[in-house]
Amino acid sequence: MLPDGYSDVPAGKLATVVTHLEMRTPPQRGHDPEQPGVTLARFERPDTAWYRDLYARVGTDWLWDSRLRMAEADLTAILTHPDVEIYAVMKDGRAEGLLELDFREEGACELAFFGLTPAMVGNGTGRWLMNRAIARAWSQEGHAPIGRFWVHTCTLDSPQALNFYIRSGFVPVKRQVEVFDDPRLTGVLPDTAAPQVPILRA
């Protein structure tokens, strides 16, 4: 438990406020923007290099690093698990968005990763992708029924992320503070990543 007031964050570390959200019943489907030339493709047992490339192109601006520093064997175990589903938003033959659904917890699905490359932002593709994520999570095709669909986001993510999840039907249920090594100082991400977050060196 953090005390009230300011708490120092050591140089070389980042601190972020994490909000956990959940959805207990599927919402009514709302607006579904047309996306000419855009498709959603499932990749079963994807190559880790392909996955890491897409993950980085989607998440570098927001300092996503967990899957980039994960051991090869550990990442392979996740990507090949029968209860983990990997999808890519495809445009002109190239993956431009990532959707990862994790059904490993009985009765639940985690929206593990959700995002688009900068080229796809601002065209309604995020809403289009979320509609499909919700439909797939709550469907009973190929997996056991769920009673909880959940996600977490943090203050390092896109400023639009939290409200987007709330508008999509997720309800905030918990808040945490996460402190971790700045991935630009550990070599996982380049110094130029996320210029909106200053680097504080020791």
Side-chain angles (χ1 to χ4, degrees), residues 52-125:
R52 283 192 169 108
D53 171 75
L54 177 56
Y55 178 96
R57 289 190 289 114
V58 169
T60 292
D61 285 348
W62 317 116
L63 296 176
W64 290 13
D65 75 321
S66 62
R67 294 294 172 82
L68 300 179
R69 55 183 166 79
M70 184 176 287
E72 186 77 6
D74 293 340
L75 180 57
T76 298
I78 294 172
L79 299 183
T80 60
H81 195 285
D83 294 327
V84 175
E85 300 182 0
I86 309 297
Y87 298 86
V89 176
M90 303 299 296
K91 174 75 171 179
D92 297 328
R94 179 174 169 85
E96 297 287 1
L98 174 64
L99 168 62
E100 183 172 331
L101 299 174
D102 188 338
F103 293 93
R104 288 178 293 176
E105 179 187 349
E106 184 176 358
C109 175
E110 180 187 1
L111 182 59
F113 290 102
F114 178 97
L116 302 170
T117 63
M120 300 297 287
V121 173
N123 301 312
T125 312

